[in-house]
Amino acid sequence: MNRTRTQVGIVGAGPAGLTLAHLLHRDGIDSVVVEDKSREYVEARVRAGVIEQGIVDLLTEAGAGERLVREGLVHHGIELQFDGERHRIPLSELAGGRAIVIYGQTELVKDLIRLRLDAGQPLHFEAADVSVHDLETERPLVRYRYEGSDEELDCDVIAGCDGFHGICRPSIPAGVLSEFSREYPFGWLGILAAVAPSNDELVYAHHERGFALLSLRSRERSRLYLQCRPDEDLAKWPDDRIWEELQTRLGIPGWRLAEGAILEKGVTGMRSYVCEPMRYGHLFLTGDAAHIVPPTGAKGLNLALHDVEVLADALVEWFRSGTTIGLDQYSDTCLRRVWRAEHFSWWMTRMLHRADDEDSFDLKLQLSQLRYVTTSHAAATSLAENYVGLETV
Ligand code: FAD
Ligand code: DHB
């Protein structure tokens, strides 16, 4: 058994774990990142693409935003489509000049991995049988197998950054956490396509056949989503059918979606979930390990990085001065923003998706809401400030 001592044991090398490791290293705090998948797998996992201005600023100030600022595409608005017409929400105009940046989560993860490895800091991919122990003590442990050896990491604190299906949250004894959740009767079928985006801004489309989203990853890559069943069988969706459905749902007179080779496709279920508190003893949960939002509104990645910003500040303060104030407030501070994003994502999802059991009353409410947010300055401002990310919550 190899024993290693570190200040912060970080479980999971997704955006949350990697950003936390980077922020801590910048402040002279040691950590070891333990990830159960391979580097190739983590770097290829296509997910989020919309980054709030505040998160861009966080990464830039931490020296992790160089390529993000160079290659990311700044967007100042989005479009909402319903009844066959598009309506622009001028985000920046309504939200004090703030914008969003389009930059793939895959690219951010690649940047953070490179920074970590260039700094010579430990990042263990393909760790097997990861488990966490002695969480209520001042010396919690992470155990795992790595390159054929049994490893034991002796930590001051553990950061559970291992996503929704990780092991950290389930290691908290039964009865400690309160859990809040909602399942949705639909999912998203997402594709990445080798074709220039057909619109300058994202289009969120309400359609009688279900929601569709036009997004992008770069000037040469489109990212598109279709509402589908949560257990949709991808085998029933040959490329032609996907394009035809996207043409129908996103179509407006005089405009056609440009098609190209499909590079990746996948189905994601949708759920809302929060556990409280986001802490147990010396284990702190961050990002998807503690909360999930449905993707409509693009909040998941942003929330994960807001959590680690709060946690990094609290840990730095604790290691420097011994004060536990920041750590004691960690969960409450994060949960305020988490619940705002939970509400916003639930609201956007309900406004734009078609439910199987939806009756004409629900449909009339959706259309009325869409008309309201696209005609009322107050309602559009509310959408805009939530979308670009609230400065204070
Ligand atoms: P994760 O990215 O899940 O990372 C957790 C890491 O822990 C993974 O690398 C995992 O392999 C590892 N791990 C798991 N179990 C273990 C274990 N036992 N031991 C060690 N390691 C482990 N969010 C946005 O903000 N904007 C968007 O536009 C957006 N679009 C999305 C589109 C889709 C299709 C999906 C699926 C999600 C989207 N999200 C979006 C959500 C966003 O991708 C997540 O919220 C984000 O990845 C959360 O980061 P995380 O680091 O907390 O968790
Ligand atoms: C993307 C995902 C979202 O959930 C969203 O609301 C906007 C864009 C995307 O992956 O590009």
Side-chain angles (χ1 to χ4, degrees):
M1 163 93 70
N2 292 327
R3 289 213 166 77
T4 313
R5 171 89 188 99
T6 190
Q7 287 170 292
V8 184
I10 299 179
V11 184
L18 290 166
T19 303
L20 180 63
H22 180 75
L23 296 175
L24 292 175
H25 176 62
R26 198 188 45 148
D27 273 301
I29 294 168
D30 286 341
S31 65
V32 175
V33 184
V34 179
E35 162 66 47
D36 68 351
K37 297 286 195 300
S38 67
R39 177 176 180 183
E40 295 68 35
Y41 182 92
V42 169
E43 290 190 342
R45 201 164 34 195
V46 181
R47 284 171 147 197
V50 175
I51 306 189
E52 296 171 1
Q53 172 107 49
I55 296 300
V56 173
D57 296 345
L58 167 75
L59 292 165
T60 310
E61 280 157 27
E66 194 247 330
R67 194 160 71 98
L68 161 62
V69 168
R70 191 159 29 93
E71 295 180 14
L73 303 172
V74 180
H75 280 204
H76 296 285
I78 56 167
E79 296 196 75
L80 295 181
Q81 179 176 322
F82 59 96
D83 278 345
E85 282 178 14
R86 291 192 187 152
H87 306 259
R88 183 167 192 264
I89 307 282
L91 298 173
S92 302
E93 212 178 292
L94 296 168
R98 279 173 298 143
I100 50 159
V101 174
I102 307 296
Y103 190 67
Q105 181 169 329
T106 44
E107 302 314 299
L108 178 62
V109 163
K110 283 183 209 162
D111 296 346
L112 291 162
I113 290 174
R114 173 99 329 273
L115 278 170
R116 179 82 181 162
L117 297 178
D118 284 352
Q121 293 301 305
L123 168 49
H124 296 167
F125 288 106
E126 297 180 68
D129 303 327
V130 181
S131 59
V132 292
H133 306 269
D134 302 342
L135 302 174
E136 58 296 330
T137 73
E138 298 198 339
R139 277 284 178 275
L141 300 171
V142 183
R143 293 206 181 103
Y144 55 105
R145 284 188 61 73
Y146 181 59
E147 294 182 340
S149 311
D150 287 322
E151 301 286 336
E152 187 168 278
L153 200 56
D154 173 9
C155 316
D156 292 312
V157 298
I158 296 175
C161 308
D162 50 349
F164 188 68
H165 300 289
I167 50 95
C168 288
R169 193 181 66 253
S171 303
I172 297 175
V176 170
L177 298 179
S178 300
E179 298 181 287
F180 307 86
S181 67
R182 183 123 311 172
E183 298 273 340
Y184 300 83
F186 29 77
W188 278 12
L189 190 165
I191 63 162
L192 182 68
V195 60
S198 303
N199 198 52
D200 290 340
E201 294 180 334
L202 272 65
V203 181
Y204 287 80
H206 177 278
H207 192 275
E208 61 187 17
R209 294 177 61 83
F211 170 72
L213 171 61
L214 181 158
S215 181
L216 65 155
R217 283 295 174 273
S218 66
R219 290 197 175 83
E220 300 84 36
R221 293 275 183 276
S222 295
R223 178 85 172 138
L224 298 142
Y225 296 98
L226 286 170
Q227 177 186 344
C228 61
R229 297 167 54 84
D231 56 353
E232 192 74 48
D233 180 4
L234 262 183
K236 296 198 175 122
W237 287 87
D239 295 3
D240 287 354
R241 182 176 173 206
I242 295 177
W243 286 117
E244 196 183 314
E245 195 62 32
L246 285 166
Q247 295 288 4
T248 305
R249 297 192 199 175
L250 288 166
I252 48 166
W255 178 91
R256 206 176 148 74
L257 178 66
E259 301 180 9
I262 296 184
L263 306 173
E264 199 265 352
K265 53 175 134 165
V267 170
T268 322
M270 289 167 86
R271 71 154 67 85
S272 302
Y273 172 89
V274 182
C275 76
E276 295 189 1
M278 290 167 55
R279 170 188 191 171
Y280 173 66
H282 280 219
L283 169 69
F284 294 84
L285 300 176
T286 73
D288 281 16
H291 42 75
I292 294 278
V293 288
T296 336
K299 287 290 147 214
L301 169 63
N302 292 295
L303 271 186
L305 297 198
H306 280 292
D307 289 351
V308 299
E309 180 180 24
V310 176
L311 184 57
D313 285 349
L315 286 170
V316 169
E317 196 182 54
W318 181 54
F319 282 118
R320 282 207 184 128
S321 69
T323 173
T324 63
I325 296 172
L327 290 176
D328 292 341
Q329 291 174 347
Y330 168 73
S331 178
D332 287 347
T333 304
C334 291
L335 284 168
R336 275 200 298 278
R337 182 177 292 279
V338 167
W339 278 111
R340 179 84 302 280
E342 289 289 345
H343 177 266
F344 178 66
S345 309
W346 167 87
W347 175 79
M348 285 281 282
T349 300
R350 292 267 309 241
M351 178 169 72
L352 289 160
H353 291 70
R354 204 175 164 132
D356 280 346
D357 61 356
E358 185 175 272
D359 59 18
S360 49
F361 185 81
D362 295 322
L363 180 60
K364 293 280 183 193
L365 289 185
Q366 285 181 328
L367 292 170
S368 169
Q369 184 68 44
L370 281 161
R371 237 169 261 125
Y372 183 47
V373 291
T374 51
T375 50
S376 153
H377 188 265
T381 303
S382 169
L383 190 155
E385 65 179 9
N386 278 280
Y387 196 91
V388 301
L390 290 153
E391 275 170 312
T392 50
V393 273

